[in-house]
Amino acid sequence: MTAAGRGASGVLDRVEAARRRRPKLRDTHITSAHGAGGKATATLVDAVFLEALRNPLLEPLEDAAVFDAGTERLALTTDSFVVTPLFFPGGNIGDLAVNGTVNDLAVAGARPLHLASAVILEEGMDIADLRRIVASMAEAATRAGVSIVTGDTKVVQRGRADGCYITTTGVGLVDPGLRLGASLARPGDVVVVTGPIGDHGITVLLARGELDLSADLRSDTAPLSALTARLLAAVNTPGGDGTRDGGGAPGSGGAPGGGGVRAMRDATRGGVATILNEVAKASGVGVVVDEAAVPVRTEVRGACELLGLDPLYVACEGRMVVIVAPEAVDTALAALRADPLGAQSTVIGRIVDDPPGTVLLNTAFGGTRIVDLLVGDPLPRIC
Amino acid sequence: MTAAGRGASGVLDRVEAARRRRPKLRDTHITSAHGAGGKATATLVDAVFLEALRNPLLEPLEDAAVFDAGTERLALTTDSFVVTPLFFPGGNIGDLAVNGTVNDLAVAGARPLHLASAVILEEGMDIADLRRIVASMAEAATRAGVSIVTGDTKVVQRGRADGCYITTTGVGLVDPGLRLGASLARPGDVVVVTGPIGDHGITVLLARGELDLSADLRSDTAPLSALTARLLAAVNTPGGDGTRDGGGAPGSGGAPGGGGVRAMRDATRGGVATILNEVAKASGVGVVVDEAAVPVRTEVRGACELLGLDPLYVACEGRMVVIVAPEAVDTALAALRADPLGAQSTVIGRIVDDPPGTVLLNTAFGGTRIVDLLVGDPLPRIC
């Protein structure tokens, strides 16, 4: 599904080089940073999971694995949700778990089909809360046009969980001609975000009530499958070779209607910065972001400044980053903006040749700094 | 996939009647019994999950949902594993999580294709333990012929989990002609188990070291996909109508090669007794079990007697219950016994007309008693 699976050797070399650049796992015990989606997570996943389980489908570490099943092409994705608190403005762990999995399918270019849901409950949990959560799952599934068709329920002793944890897995159908992936970015491509970033992370943080801060904010949790379908229909013709590895020299791009979307990623844990780093490393390219162009709500920016957080690392649950070939940008923006969930879509940066594997930010003050993978875990358990 | 989805109205009526027989949820808070797989679990799943999420694929509450995806027929199943301790004789949470999901696909008649794995880690967990667990997952996946193609890693604070919890989801391909399900049992059918029961549950219980007991026991955790494939190849011809709802009058059975396997279930949480209750209720039939015919190892029987447990409720992780049409029993037993994992397959009972929805045990002492769904949770967190 991406370079490692089927690509030209140049792409494989870049992926291999990126792999070699990853740091060794030196930790002996799990820390919260291993769950933050940043550098420690990447190292753990690489050194423990990928090392033992390595296979061509897992290797690209995309949000969803894409593979042939008989005559069909399927996408499969799974996520555990451990958000605390369970309820927050704009949503709860239930709709978050459904939307998160729907979105991982959507950004893989899949049409979400069915979900599975496994719930780990803490002894003593209020069943009225569980009913509200499951009702939200049902509503979110209906909104996204999917069904939860199978599930599992486990109970652990009081104190061995935190109310409930939900693992949602989704299956979707992918057009056989479609090729998307973080390794397909090429110099000249454009970086789009589909709306203001960081709403979800800051909302959850404030909902914990541990900070003497409040803001009129809601989580942006939402299903992106209609938005991605609309975008791909406008910009990518399945089978158009602009989206295939080796479909052109670097920078050749794809024409509108010919595979102009290179990659889509929902900007969850680790935020936009993490995704751009993954794209830079997987494609062996540089990414330059214009800080002034990044949409951040005043409330989010204010909370981030007070808390010493960079909004680029704060999670969204209904926003995505789209890498688009230059010729397709206008069409892509028009398609995205035609949907309420993408109404504020905007260009925030571009893909460049150098330095490969690196994200650079042109700051509002006229300087330039490197935006690296997240170190540590400033916002634990926001999803 | 079973009666509720497509069946004759008589079957629908029986399922509806069984549904109405289910008790109302009166609990206000989660207790360990809700995770035991017995009566409380069934009530919670029915009143909270099924009530809110109801759809024809979820409704049968089989181990896996079976549905059409484009031109293919897929099975999807998910399970969270919260076993304690993480390591026990014969396995650990890693191979258990892979085998459990492979088996849920296998008993749905699916050929396991790919797995997804989501891990919730407790801060402070020893990464060397995690490596051992993931290595076991890799080995189990290789043994079962599947790959783990996507995953997720979350971390929760110390004390908010118990080392790690693993949720494994599997996708498999199902022959379009195949019909299996707990609602397809008919009077005259025969109940087979594929080996000694209760090894896993008692092994895990003893591994906790809380009891002054030891025994030379190992978990039976194993992938059953080769065994089910062999059985179906020998006994069921896909498309043979002996396995379809309404394919014959009650008791007409299926001939060998014509759909003789009605249902398969791996006897995990809640044990053989729970499965037989599910079959009795879903098919609106009675099940009569001959206690003397149920294979139980001396060590398991001894531990059960000391602990006041009934082996019929103790979990296995590599045994299944098979409901077979009478004409197909010899062929089925021969096929099962040809595989090391089914070498000790044996008939333990039969399906009868009355009393519908009930499992009766002919005891070794010549009496008869009802084997109901489990109440309470004598063996928490064995999977």
Side-chain angles (χ1 to χ4, degrees):
Chain A
M1 81 204 154
T2 62
R6 52 183 88 221
S9 67
V11 175
L12 275 174
D13 289 349
R14 282 202 298 276
V15 171
E16 180 55 25
R19 201 181 73 75
R20 277 198 301 268
R21 272 196 305 276
R22 286 182 190 158
K24 288 272 179 292
L25 178 66
R26 294 201 172 81
D27 307 309
T28 59
H29 292 82
I30 294 296
T31 67
S32 68
H34 291 118
K39 197 166 278 187
T41 305
T43 306
L44 180 77
V45 167
D46 193 59
V48 175
F49 291 94
L50 193 55
E51 188 62 28
L53 304 173
R54 193 177 298 279
N55 61 71
L57 293 171
L58 178 63
E59 183 100 32
L61 297 176
E62 291 278 354
D63 284 335
V66 178
F67 51 84
D68 295 326
T71 55
E72 296 293 341
R73 197 148 175 261
L74 296 183
L76 179 69
T77 185
T78 194
D79 263 323
S80 288
F81 292 83
V82 298
V83 65
T84 179
L86 296 175
F87 298 89
F88 44 81
N92 62 53
I93 192 173
D95 44 35
L96 190 69
V98 169
N99 289 337
T101 293
V102 164
N103 291 350
D104 282 345
L105 291 174
V107 298
R111 181 167 64 81
L113 209 55
H114 292 304
L115 303 186
S117 163
V119 179
I120 297 173
L121 303 169
E122 183 187 10
E123 213 178 344
M125 184 189 184
D126 189 333
I127 289 178
D129 284 346
L130 182 62
R131 282 188 193 275
R132 287 171 61 199
I133 289 166
V134 178
S136 293
M137 295 179 78
E139 277 172 38
T142 300
R143 182 175 174 196
V146 297
S147 298
I148 296 170
V149 296
T150 191
D152 182 50
T153 310
K154 291 292 191 317
V155 175
V156 295
Q157 297 94 325
R158 204 179 281 265
R160 291 298 181 184
D162 207 350
C164 71
Y165 302 144
I166 302 179
T167 301
T168 324
T169 306
V171 176
L173 280 171
V174 186
D175 192 295
L178 186 67
R179 294 288 177 271
L180 296 170
S183 66
L184 302 183
R186 296 290 174 270
D189 289 352
V190 167
V191 180
V192 171
V193 297
T194 58
I197 64 171
D199 293 8
H200 175 77
I202 297 298
T203 300
V204 169
L205 189 66
L206 297 183
R208 289 182 194 158
E210 297 163 358
L211 304 168
D212 191 17
L213 264 181
S214 69
D216 187 19
L217 269 180
R218 293 166 61 83
S219 168
D220 49 86
T221 178
L224 296 172
S225 43
L227 185 65
T228 56
R230 184 194 291 263
L231 175 65
L232 291 177
V235 178
N236 285 48
T237 300
D241 65 2
T243 48
R244 291 178 192 279
D245 291 341
S252 69
V261 174
R262 313 294 201 185
M264 304 186 282
R265 285 286 186 103
D266 54 334
T268 60
R269 190 174 52 163
V272 170
T274 300
I275 287 169
L276 294 180
N277 268 279
E278 289 169 359
V279 169
K281 286 169 178 54
S283 293
V285 297
V287 180
V288 177
V289 175
D290 179 9
E291 187 173 33
V294 178
V296 184
R297 288 187 205 281
T298 311
E299 297 85 349
V300 171
R301 190 179 301 283
C304 281
E305 281 173 7
L306 279 167
L307 298 165
L309 298 172
D310 183 340
L312 281 173
Y313 292 100
V314 179
C316 322
E317 290 289 342
R319 305 292 176 212
M320 54 178 184
V321 172
V322 188
I323 311 294
V324 188
E327 299 86 346
V329 173
D330 292 344
T331 315
L333 284 174
L336 290 169
R337 288 172 181 162
D339 187 300
L341 289 173
Q344 299 180 67
S345 295
T346 188
V347 172
I348 64 163
R350 62 191 192 283
I351 306 295
V352 296
D353 275 306
D354 285 309
T358 304
V359 180
L360 294 175
L361 185 75
N362 289 332
T363 70
F365 305 107
T368 297
R369 65 175 172 86
I370 289 178
V371 178
D372 205 350
L373 277 177
L374 195 61
V375 176
D377 187 12
L379 287 177
R381 297 184 55 190
I382 45 73
C383 63
Chain B
M1 139 180 26
T2 62
R6 52 181 92 221
S9 67
V11 175
L12 275 174
D13 290 348
R14 283 202 296 276
V15 170
E16 180 56 25
R19 200 179 73 75
R20 278 197 301 268
R21 272 197 304 275
R22 287 182 190 158
K24 289 272 180 294
L25 179 65
R26 294 201 171 81
D27 307 309
T28 59
H29 291 83
I30 295 295
T31 68
S32 69
H34 291 118
K39 196 166 278 187
T41 304
T43 306
L44 180 76
V45 167
D46 193 59
V48 176
F49 292 94
L50 193 54
E51 189 62 30
L53 304 173
R54 193 177 298 279
N55 62 69
L57 293 171
L58 179 63
E59 182 99 32
L61 298 176
E62 290 279 353
D63 285 334
V66 179
F67 51 84
D68 295 327
T71 55
E72 296 293 340
R73 196 146 176 263
L74 296 183
L76 178 70
T77 185
T78 193
D79 264 323
S80 287
F81 292 83
V82 298
V83 66
T84 178
L86 297 175
F87 298 89
F88 44 82
N92 62 53
I93 191 173
D95 44 35
L96 191 68
V98 169
N99 289 336
T101 293
V102 163
N103 291 349
D104 281 345
L105 292 174
V107 298
R111 181 168 64 80
L113 210 54
H114 292 305
L115 303 187
S117 163
V119 179
I120 297 173
L121 303 170
E122 183 188 9
E123 214 178 344
M125 185 190 183
D126 189 333
I127 289 177
D129 283 347
L130 183 61
R131 282 188 193 276
R132 287 171 61 200
I133 288 166
V134 178
S136 293
M137 295 180 77
E139 277 172 38
T142 300
R143 184 176 173 197
V146 297
S147 298
I148 297 170
V149 295
T150 191
D152 181 49
T153 309
K154 291 292 190 317
V155 176
V156 295
Q157 297 94 325
R158 204 178 283 264
R160 292 296 181 184
D162 208 351
C164 70
Y165 302 144
I166 302 179
T167 301
T168 325
T169 306
V171 174
L173 280 171
V174 185
D175 192 295
L178 186 66
R179 294 287 178 273
L180 296 170
S183 65
L184 302 183
R186 296 291 173 269
D189 290 352
V190 168
V191 180
V192 171
V193 296
T194 58
I197 65 172
D199 292 9
H200 175 76
I202 297 299
T203 300
V204 169
L205 189 66
L206 297 183
R208 289 181 194 159
E210 296 162 358
L211 303 168
D212 192 18
L213 264 181
S214 69
D216 187 19
L217 268 181
R218 294 165 61 84
S219 167
D220 50 87
T221 178
L224 295 172
S225 44
L227 185 64
T228 56
R230 186 195 292 262
L231 174 64
L232 292 176
V235 178
N236 284 48
T237 300
D241 66 1
T243 49
R244 292 178 191 278
D245 290 340
S252 68
V261 174
R262 314 293 201 185
M264 304 186 283
R265 285 285 187 104
D266 54 335
T268 59
R269 190 174 52 162
V272 169
T274 300
I275 287 169
L276 295 179
N277 268 280
E278 289 169 359
V279 168
K281 286 168 178 55
S283 293
V285 296
V287 180
V288 178
V289 175
D290 179 8
E291 186 172 35
V294 179
V296 184
R297 287 186 207 282
T298 311
E299 297 85 348
V300 172
R301 192 179 298 283
C304 281
E305 281 174 8
L306 280 166
L307 299 165
L309 298 172
D310 182 341
L312 279 173
Y313 293 100
V314 179
C316 324
E317 289 288 343
R319 305 291 177 212
M320 56 179 182
V321 172
V322 188
I323 311 295
V324 188
E327 301 85 344
V329 173
D330 292 345
T331 315
L333 284 174
L336 290 168
R337 288 171 181 162
D339 187 300
L341 290 173
Q344 298 179 67
S345 295
T346 187
V347 172
I348 64 163
R350 63 191 191 282
I351 307 296
V352 295
D353 275 303
D354 286 307
T358 304
V359 180
L360 294 174
L361 185 74
N362 289 331
T363 69
F365 306 107
T368 297
R369 65 176 173 87
I370 289 178
V371 178
D372 205 349
L373 277 175
L374 195 60
V375 176
D377 188 13
L379 287 177
R381 297 184 56 189
I382 45 73
C383 64

mmCIF file of all heavy atoms in Angstrom, chain A residues 159-176:
data_model
loop_
_atom_site.group_PDB
_atom_site.id
_atom_site.type_symbol
_atom_site.label_atom_id
_atom_site.label_comp_id
_atom_site.label_asym_id
_atom_site.label_seq_id
_atom_site.Cartn_x
_atom_site.Cartn_y
_atom_site.Cartn_z
ATOM 1 N N GLY A 159 -10.045 -0.065 39.953
ATOM 2 C CA GLY A 159 -8.686 0.485 39.961
ATOM 3 C C GLY A 159 -7.797 -0.067 38.860
ATOM 4 O O GLY A 159 -6.710 0.456 38.632
ATOM 5 N N ARG A 160 -8.243 -1.122 38.150
ATOM 6 C CA ARG A 160 -7.420 -1.705 37.090
ATOM 7 C C ARG A 160 -7.779 -1.147 35.722
ATOM 8 O O ARG A 160 -7.281 -1.625 34.698
ATOM 9 C CB ARG A 160 -7.555 -3.227 37.094
ATOM 10 C CG ARG A 160 -6.917 -3.877 38.313
ATOM 11 C CD ARG A 160 -5.435 -3.609 38.337
ATOM 12 N NE ARG A 160 -4.792 -4.242 39.482
ATOM 13 C CZ ARG A 160 -3.498 -4.086 39.768
ATOM 14 N NH1 ARG A 160 -2.729 -3.320 39.006
ATOM 15 N NH2 ARG A 160 -2.981 -4.662 40.816
ATOM 16 N N ALA A 161 -8.699 -0.210 35.690
ATOM 17 C CA ALA A 161 -9.003 0.539 34.465
ATOM 18 C C ALA A 161 -9.466 1.914 34.942
ATOM 19 O O ALA A 161 -9.195 2.284 36.087
ATOM 20 C CB ALA A 161 -10.059 -0.166 33.629
ATOM 21 N N ASP A 162 -10.152 2.638 34.104
ATOM 22 C CA ASP A 162 -10.528 3.998 34.481
ATOM 23 C C ASP A 162 -11.923 4.256 33.909
ATOM 24 O O ASP A 162 -12.082 5.019 32.976
ATOM 25 C CB ASP A 162 -9.497 4.960 33.880
ATOM 26 C CG ASP A 162 -9.380 6.239 34.706
ATOM 27 O OD1 ASP A 162 -10.211 6.436 35.605
ATOM 28 O OD2 ASP A 162 -8.448 7.012 34.436
ATOM 29 N N GLY A 163 -12.911 3.548 34.483
ATOM 30 C CA GLY A 163 -14.253 3.624 33.922
ATOM 31 C C GLY A 163 -14.377 2.618 32.801
ATOM 32 O O GLY A 163 -14.833 1.501 32.999
ATOM 33 N N CYS A 164 -13.947 3.024 31.625
ATOM 34 C CA CYS A 164 -13.889 2.040 30.536
ATOM 35 C C CYS A 164 -12.853 2.442 29.502
ATOM 36 O O CYS A 164 -12.524 3.615 29.346
ATOM 37 C CB CYS A 164 -15.261 1.841 29.884
ATOM 38 S SG CYS A 164 -15.830 3.234 28.907
ATOM 39 N N TYR A 165 -12.325 1.449 28.845
ATOM 40 C CA TYR A 165 -11.488 1.607 27.664
ATOM 41 C C TYR A 165 -12.237 0.950 26.504
ATOM 42 O O TYR A 165 -12.866 -0.095 26.684
ATOM 43 C CB TYR A 165 -10.131 0.912 27.841
ATOM 44 C CG TYR A 165 -9.321 1.379 29.034
ATOM 45 C CD1 TYR A 165 -8.546 0.477 29.768
ATOM 46 C CD2 TYR A 165 -9.301 2.712 29.420
ATOM 47 C CE1 TYR A 165 -7.786 0.888 30.854
ATOM 48 C CE2 TYR A 165 -8.541 3.138 30.510
ATOM 49 C CZ TYR A 165 -7.785 2.222 31.225
ATOM 50 O OH TYR A 165 -7.038 2.637 32.298
ATOM 51 N N ILE A 166 -12.153 1.553 25.352
ATOM 52 C CA ILE A 166 -12.856 1.012 24.186
ATOM 53 C C ILE A 166 -11.868 0.835 23.041
ATOM 54 O O ILE A 166 -11.138 1.771 22.697
ATOM 55 C CB ILE A 166 -13.990 1.947 23.725
ATOM 56 C CG1 ILE A 166 -14.998 2.168 24.870
ATOM 57 C CG2 ILE A 166 -14.695 1.379 22.492
ATOM 58 C CD1 ILE A 166 -16.148 3.095 24.495
ATOM 59 N N THR A 167 -11.845 -0.341 22.471
ATOM 60 C CA THR A 167 -11.034 -0.571 21.275
ATOM 61 C C THR A 167 -11.971 -0.776 20.093
ATOM 62 O O THR A 167 -12.823 -1.669 20.116
ATOM 63 C CB THR A 167 -10.125 -1.802 21.442
ATOM 64 O OG1 THR A 167 -9.279 -1.589 22.573
ATOM 65 C CG2 THR A 167 -9.268 -2.016 20.194
ATOM 66 N N THR A 168 -11.815 0.074 19.101
ATOM 67 C CA THR A 168 -12.688 0.020 17.933
ATOM 68 C C THR A 168 -11.849 -0.352 16.727
ATOM 69 O O THR A 168 -10.792 0.225 16.483
ATOM 70 C CB THR A 168 -13.347 1.393 17.686
ATOM 71 O OG1 THR A 168 -13.629 1.999 18.935
ATOM 72 C CG2 THR A 168 -14.622 1.247 16.896
ATOM 73 N N THR A 169 -12.332 -1.311 15.983
ATOM 74 C CA THR A 169 -11.635 -1.766 14.792
ATOM 75 C C THR A 169 -12.583 -1.614 13.619
ATOM 76 O O THR A 169 -13.778 -1.877 13.750
ATOM 77 C CB THR A 169 -11.213 -3.241 14.941
ATOM 78 O OG1 THR A 169 -10.462 -3.372 16.157
ATOM 79 C CG2 THR A 169 -10.359 -3.702 13.770
ATOM 80 N N GLY A 170 -12.053 -1.174 12.482
ATOM 81 C CA GLY A 170 -12.913 -0.949 11.332
ATOM 82 C C GLY A 170 -12.408 -1.643 10.091
ATOM 83 O O GLY A 170 -11.201 -1.800 9.892
ATOM 84 N N VAL A 171 -13.360 -2.058 9.276
ATOM 85 C CA VAL A 171 -13.066 -2.640 7.973
ATOM 86 C C VAL A 171 -13.709 -1.758 6.910
ATOM 87 O O VAL A 171 -14.860 -1.344 7.059
ATOM 88 C CB VAL A 171 -13.651 -4.060 7.855
ATOM 89 C CG1 VAL A 171 -13.437 -4.630 6.456
ATOM 90 C CG2 VAL A 171 -13.033 -4.980 8.881
ATOM 91 N N GLY A 172 -12.972 -1.474 5.863
ATOM 92 C CA GLY A 172 -13.519 -0.683 4.765
ATOM 93 C C GLY A 172 -13.095 -1.239 3.425
ATOM 94 O O GLY A 172 -12.193 -2.079 3.347
ATOM 95 N N LEU A 173 -13.766 -0.776 2.401
ATOM 96 C CA LEU A 173 -13.437 -1.185 1.031
ATOM 97 C C LEU A 173 -12.646 -0.070 0.354
ATOM 98 O O LEU A 173 -12.997 1.101 0.456
ATOM 99 C CB LEU A 173 -14.720 -1.444 0.235
ATOM 100 C CG LEU A 173 -15.395 -2.793 0.453
ATOM 101 C CD1 LEU A 173 -16.763 -2.811 -0.228
ATOM 102 C CD2 LEU A 173 -14.528 -3.932 -0.070
ATOM 103 N N VAL A 174 -11.590 -0.463 -0.349
ATOM 104 C CA VAL A 174 -10.736 0.503 -1.029
ATOM 105 C C VAL A 174 -10.799 0.242 -2.527
ATOM 106 O O VAL A 174 -10.740 -0.909 -2.961
ATOM 107 C CB VAL A 174 -9.272 0.373 -0.558
ATOM 108 C CG1 VAL A 174 -8.408 1.472 -1.165
ATOM 109 C CG2 VAL A 174 -9.193 0.416 0.961
ATOM 110 N N ASP A 175 -10.910 1.316 -3.289
ATOM 111 C CA ASP A 175 -10.866 1.157 -4.735
ATOM 112 C C ASP A 175 -9.505 0.593 -5.138
ATOM 113 O O ASP A 175 -8.473 1.135 -4.751
ATOM 114 C CB ASP A 175 -11.091 2.513 -5.396
ATOM 115 C CG ASP A 175 -11.352 2.359 -6.872
ATOM 116 O OD1 ASP A 175 -10.423 1.918 -7.583
ATOM 117 O OD2 ASP A 175 -12.469 2.640 -7.305
ATOM 118 N N PRO A 176 -9.497 -0.479 -5.942
ATOM 119 C CA PRO A 176 -8.216 -1.112 -6.267
ATOM 120 C C PRO A 176 -7.237 -0.172 -6.964
ATOM 121 O O PRO A 176 -6.030 -0.362 -6.888
ATOM 122 C CB PRO A 176 -8.612 -2.270 -7.195
ATOM 123 C CG PRO A 176 -10.043 -2.528 -6.910
ATOM 124 C CD PRO A 176 -10.640 -1.209 -6.511
#
